[in-house]
Amino acid sequence: MKNYDEFSNIEFEKLCESQDAFKSEYDLDSYSNWFYDQESELLRLYNSDEDEIFFKYVPVGTYSLKSNTWMWSWENEHSIEKSKNETLQVKSFGEIHKYQKLTKGLIECDKDECWEFVAIAKKFINSLGVYCTNSKDLLTYKLLTHEYSETDSTAVKKMKQRTVDCGNHGFKRPAFVCQHLNLKKANGFEESFTTYRGMELDEEDDFAAWCNECEKVRVEKDGWNEESEKFAKIKLVCEECYFELKEFNEK
């Protein structure tokens, strides 16, 4: 068996060839926006509702531009996609051939190595190509397994029904905050339950938060009711906006 560098170089060259054809066939560079839904494992590329395309995906891993570390999706507790377990094939292969970079869940490495990891995953997971998203200094690599057509419109419709179209972040899960939470002045941050980015929610749960003043009023009025809700004036935001507000207001 080849050593790891020889093996990864071969798979990377294969990916380069197939990726160019994939991007050309679907004209991927023409889409300026993206959104992915972890629950349905759907990626949406779009410019408008009339100019959009959907793919089913398998999460391969993420790369932090701050810590310069790669995390395989099987190691990522924030990844709720069930298909991430397909990447365990890579781990098993690495264990057999003693390729440590394929067996360790978290690895310090250069950004360029991410494409080698994805290329190796593609060897085991049947897919059309790769798509990488960048959010808050975190690169997320996905293998796109097939395009969703008109016959799959039910799945797409369900995804859109569970999301809000945010002007800053595109389609994201909905969240609710009081009128006083903003990104100019920290006002405290109270939540219905402890949350983190990418967490899986039960159907009856929503991200919901309010400021310190709203919490005082809520306690004085014995909970949420007409008076306390009138003071809070809860508004709808997207999940990404919610966590930006949380990070700022908890300072």
Side-chain angles (χ1 to χ4, degrees), residues 9 13 16 20 43-44 46 62 83 106 109 114-115 160 162 172-174 181 199 213 230 236-237:
N9 286 337
E13 290 176 4
C16 289
D20 287 342
L43 170 71
R44 179 195 186 218
Y46 65 101
T62 57
S83 64
L106 186 65
C109 64
C114 297
W115 286 96
K160 287 189 173 183
R162 291 196 304 268
K172 298 288 183 182
R173 285 188 292 183
L181 290 176
M199 74 181 294
E213 287 302 312
K230 183 178 180 181
L236 175 67
V237 297

Side-chain angles (χ1 to χ4, degrees), residues 36-159:
Y36 63 90
D37 178 57
Q38 290 182 298
E39 186 175 348
S40 62
E41 300 173 6
L42 279 179
L43 170 71
R44 179 195 186 218
L45 305 179
Y46 65 101
N47 294 314
S48 66
D49 285 341
E50 292 76 30
D51 186 16
E52 61 183 6
I53 189 171
F54 293 85
F55 291 95
K56 194 76 171 177
Y57 74 84
V58 174
V60 178
T62 57
Y63 184 77
S64 170
L65 296 173
K66 291 184 177 180
S67 62
N68 296 324
T69 53
W70 164 269
M71 180 182 288
W72 287 100
S73 61
W74 77 68
E75 183 80 6
N76 191 347
E77 295 180 354
H78 299 323
S79 172
I80 65 174
E81 296 94 336
K82 294 179 181 179
S83 64
K84 73 178 183 180
N85 291 326
E86 292 192 42
T87 60
L88 287 171
Q89 299 176 75
V90 178
K91 184 178 182 182
S92 297
F93 180 81
E95 290 171 344
I96 292 172
H97 298 285
K98 295 181 172 52
Y99 293 157
Q100 288 193 358
K101 289 185 177 181
L102 306 185
T103 60
K104 294 173 62 177
L106 186 65
I107 309 162
E108 289 189 14
C109 64
D110 294 329
K111 184 175 68 173
D112 292 343
E113 288 186 75
C114 297
W115 286 96
E116 293 179 4
F117 297 146
V118 176
I120 293 170
K122 192 176 188 300
K123 174 182 175 66
F124 299 96
I125 301 171
N126 187 31
S127 56
L128 300 170
V130 184
Y131 196 83
C132 176
T133 62
N134 185 351
S135 178
K136 288 287 182 181
D137 295 321
L138 187 70
L139 304 178
T140 304
Y141 294 82
K142 301 170 176 60
L143 284 174
L144 308 187
T145 56
H146 68 270
E147 178 190 359
Y148 257 44
S149 62
E150 289 298 321
T151 58
D152 304 307
S153 59
T154 301
V156 171
K157 195 173 297 183
K158 284 183 178 179
M159 183 192 79

